[in-house]
Amino acid sequence: MGRAFQNRKVAMAKTAGIKTKVYSRYAKEIYVSAKNGGVDPGGNVSLRRLIERAKKDQVPSHVIERAIEKAQGAGGENYVTLRYEGFGPGSCMVIVDCLTDNHNRTYDAVRQCFTKAKAKLGAPGAVAHMFDHRAIFEFKYDNEDKVLETLLAADVDVADIENENGVITVYAPHTEFFKAKTALMEAIPDIKFDAEEITFLPQTSTTVSGEDAVLFEKFIDLLNDCDDVQEIYHNAELNN
């Protein structure tokens, strides 16, 4: 599973878009989290995780602070989360998470991306059941047994743990992200996470090659160009 996770991260890194789009997406997500759960990261675990992710992705502090300040004001945009599922080039499975204040605009934009890439937009639940919603932690450490014992002692429901050349990868239910992170930081004070995120991991992979691979990369680029698209998950393994 670890290698599949790395492959997905590499694929996403290629199509992450320019920095301004990344900043904009973080700002929107931070605004919504602060608006709905409070502006204090100490009492809003979702906001705290977003801020940590943003800083790790080198989002400037002023972008984060402006989004939180905006959430403190009265009124403001009314954003909702939308999820689209379907089948991309080569019959790979795709999940697209969006944050929007205009449902029709977002649906039309995402639908056009599928159409232009000869992909098929499916009904809700069409492919999500073939993905696991996971919290993932990756860090350098040489004692897999201690990591497992630490997590079990903290009552974390560990889905899987891997040790590849001294790099530990822990998989847990997405609802136990902070419980797992806290347990690891308390047991290993100098721990440095190479990855710490909540994501969807495909249960199977689909090899996409030839013209389909070229079309798939175009498909991801089109989705990343949509301002309302926040995250893209897929099970494609490109074979160019």
Side-chain angles (χ1 to χ4, degrees):
M1 188 182 290
R3 192 166 298 281
F5 170 57
Q6 285 303 323
N7 288 343
R8 187 189 71 80
K9 287 180 71 65
V10 170
M12 290 300 292
K14 290 180 181 177
T15 55
I18 59 176
K19 286 184 178 180
T20 52
K21 286 188 178 293
V22 175
Y23 297 168
S24 174
R25 291 176 185 180
Y26 268 116
K28 189 188 294 184
E29 210 168 346
I30 288 169
Y31 166 81
V32 171
S33 179
K35 191 80 173 177
N36 295 334
V39 298
D40 178 14
N44 184 342
V45 293
S46 173
L47 178 61
R48 186 165 76 242
R49 184 176 73 85
L50 279 171
I51 292 174
E52 289 173 353
R53 274 179 53 203
K55 288 181 177 178
K56 196 165 187 177
D57 285 345
Q58 299 182 331
V59 176
S61 296
H62 69 84
V63 173
I64 298 171
E65 292 166 0
R66 189 180 302 131
I68 294 175
E69 288 172 2
K70 188 177 178 182
Q72 288 178 303
E77 295 90 347
N78 182 26
Y79 288 104
V80 295
T81 57
L82 296 174
R83 176 168 294 155
Y84 300 100
E85 304 175 35
F87 298 89
S91 298
C92 64
M93 295 182 290
V94 183
I95 297 174
V96 183
D97 278 352
C98 302
L99 201 54
T100 182
D101 58 353
N102 187 318
H103 181 285
N104 291 333
R105 180 194 66 219
T106 304
Y107 173 76
D108 287 342
V110 172
R111 180 176 55 81
Q112 286 182 33
C113 293
F114 274 81
T115 300
K116 290 178 180 178
K118 299 180 181 178
K120 182 180 179 182
L121 189 61
V127 302
H129 64 285
M130 293 300 294
F131 289 75
D132 294 320
H133 205 184
R134 293 284 185 249
I136 298 178
F137 301 92
E138 190 174 270
F139 52 94
K140 294 179 178 64
Y141 199 64
D142 58 3
N143 194 333
E144 179 182 348
D145 291 337
K146 180 181 177 181
V147 171
L148 183 58
E149 290 171 5
T150 294
L151 294 170
L152 293 178
D155 199 29
V156 175
D157 183 15
V158 180
D160 196 7
I161 184 168
E162 298 175 347
N163 185 350
E164 189 171 339
N165 300 322
V167 176
I168 302 287
T169 307
V170 173
Y171 302 88
H174 70 282
T175 52
E176 301 196 2
F177 178 90
F178 279 104
K179 186 196 292 186
K181 182 176 179 178
T182 299
L184 290 169
M185 292 179 69
E186 289 178 351
I188 313 170
D190 60 345
I191 191 170
K192 291 184 179 179
F193 295 106
D194 295 322
E196 46 171 319
E197 62 178 279
I198 294 176
T199 187
F200 281 94
L201 290 177
Q203 298 168 8
T204 61
S205 62
T206 298
T207 300
V208 179
S209 58
E211 292 182 3
D212 283 336
V214 175
L215 202 54
F216 176 82
E217 291 183 336
K218 174 186 176 182
F219 178 48
I220 298 297
D221 285 341
L222 287 169
L223 287 171
N224 270 315
D225 283 340
C226 293
D227 290 336
D228 297 333
V229 172
Q230 295 294 112
E231 299 286 350
I232 307 165
Y233 309 99
H234 61 79
N235 76 330
E237 286 195 0
L238 299 187
N239 182 9
N240 293 322

